[in-house]
Amino acid sequence: MDTHDRPIPWLLFGAEFIGTALLVAVGLSIVILAFGQDSPMVQLVPSAGWRRLVTGFLFGTTGALIALSPLGKESGAHINPVVTLAFWLMGTLRARHVLGYILSQLTGAVVGALPLMAWGEMGRSVAFGATLPGAGYGAFWVLLGEVATTCALIVGLFFFLGRRRLRPFTPALFPILYAAMVFMEAPISGTSTNPARSLGPAVISGAWHGWWIYWLGPLLGAVLGVAFYRFSGAAWLTVEVAKLYHFGHDRYGVFRWKG
């Protein structure tokens, strides 16, 4: 069948929509529980650093479980527009599928943010997990933080996907990576690395301060991550499929295109 005659992969886009909604609903509930006003976690773990470490680990674990789930099997569990962009830049995803992915991720993030309102005042005290510039940090440093952490995400992702022996362990990267990044960088930018993750809570909280940083920073970070892969001598790694797990499942013939 000619690629232009293939059906629109609605099941794939639906899985990506639900996966992103779950990332926001579950991941940001963890953020609210760890940092929300009057949360018992604040008293149980007084150290903000330890709470950032645990929060990053559990947020990354949420993404890893989505990748391992039937949702990830269907869509590849990008659950992040810049991950989709990076796969497209690597030639493993067609441009005509990128828009469907990104629309699914953005709408999924907004829908996934709606249950966060059930946290009430505790959620409102942290803008329902919205990513905002840290106190005392100018726009340049916040942007730099997002660029650096997103670049680390893409480089780490491709390092695992590009090595056959590491590829099956790709989901295991995220709990460790996000624990480290949130611990070190969250006081600067909130460690978004994901425009969809930032959009959802911004919509329900109205907290749009510095919103452009959480689009531009991850986009630049993803481009730099791909450039690092292509031009730094790491091109011997072979990224063959635009998925994080379940590499053999490709219902629509979407994931192995090389343009």
Side-chain angles (χ1 to χ4, degrees):
M1 181 185 293
D2 185 87
T3 56
H4 295 287
D5 296 329
R6 287 177 176 165
I8 296 173
W10 294 114
L11 190 59
L12 181 156
F13 295 147
E16 191 70 2
F17 170 90
I18 297 171
T20 310
L22 285 173
L23 177 71
V24 170
V26 176
L28 298 192
S29 289
I30 294 168
V31 173
I32 293 168
L33 186 60
F35 293 96
Q37 183 178 344
D38 297 325
S39 169
M41 285 300 297
V42 176
Q43 295 181 345
L44 287 172
V45 186
S47 168
W50 277 108
R51 279 184 278 127
R52 289 198 305 273
L53 189 72
V54 173
T55 298
F57 183 85
L58 293 177
F59 189 92
T61 299
T62 302
L65 291 174
I66 293 168
L68 293 169
S69 75
L71 296 170
K73 182 177 182 179
E74 200 61 51
S75 76
H78 299 186
I79 53 179
N80 183 340
V82 300
V83 170
T84 298
L85 173 68
F87 279 129
W88 172 64
L89 291 173
M90 290 301 299
T92 55
L93 194 69
R94 294 178 179 87
R96 65 194 182 93
H97 293 128
V98 170
L99 180 60
Y101 260 100
I102 293 176
L103 288 176
S104 300
Q105 292 154 353
L106 296 179
T107 54
V110 173
V111 170
L114 296 177
L116 298 175
M117 299 176 72
W119 286 98
E121 287 302 319
M122 187 187 298
R124 275 187 283 275
S125 70
V126 289
F128 298 104
T131 46
L132 298 167
Y137 291 97
F140 171 80
W141 293 107
V142 178
L143 180 64
L144 184 62
E146 285 299 312
V147 171
T149 50
T150 307
C151 183
L153 168 64
I154 299 303
V155 170
L157 176 62
F158 285 168
F159 182 78
F160 271 70
L161 290 176
R163 299 182 62 118
R164 288 187 178 273
R165 291 184 178 180
L166 287 178
R167 193 174 301 162
F169 303 100
T170 299
L173 165 70
F174 302 111
I176 298 169
L177 180 63
Y178 274 92
M181 292 196 305
V182 171
F183 175 75
M184 293 186 291
E185 197 279 334
I188 301 174
S189 76
T191 316
S192 170
T193 72
N194 184 340
R197 174 258 181 270
S198 291
L199 176 65
V203 168
I204 64 169
S205 69
W208 292 97
H209 181 59
W211 65 269
W212 60 273
I213 294 171
Y214 301 101
W215 291 82
L216 181 60
L219 286 171
L220 290 176
V223 171
L224 285 175
V226 173
F228 174 86
Y229 174 88
R230 288 190 176 276
F231 302 119
S232 70
W236 55 270
L237 299 171
T238 304
V239 178
E240 299 174 336
V241 59
K243 301 187 78 175
L244 277 63
Y245 199 67
H246 301 293
F247 305 110
H249 182 82
D250 193 357
R251 184 190 303 271
Y252 297 99
V254 165
F255 299 111
R256 295 181 184 274
W257 179 71
K258 283 287 183 179

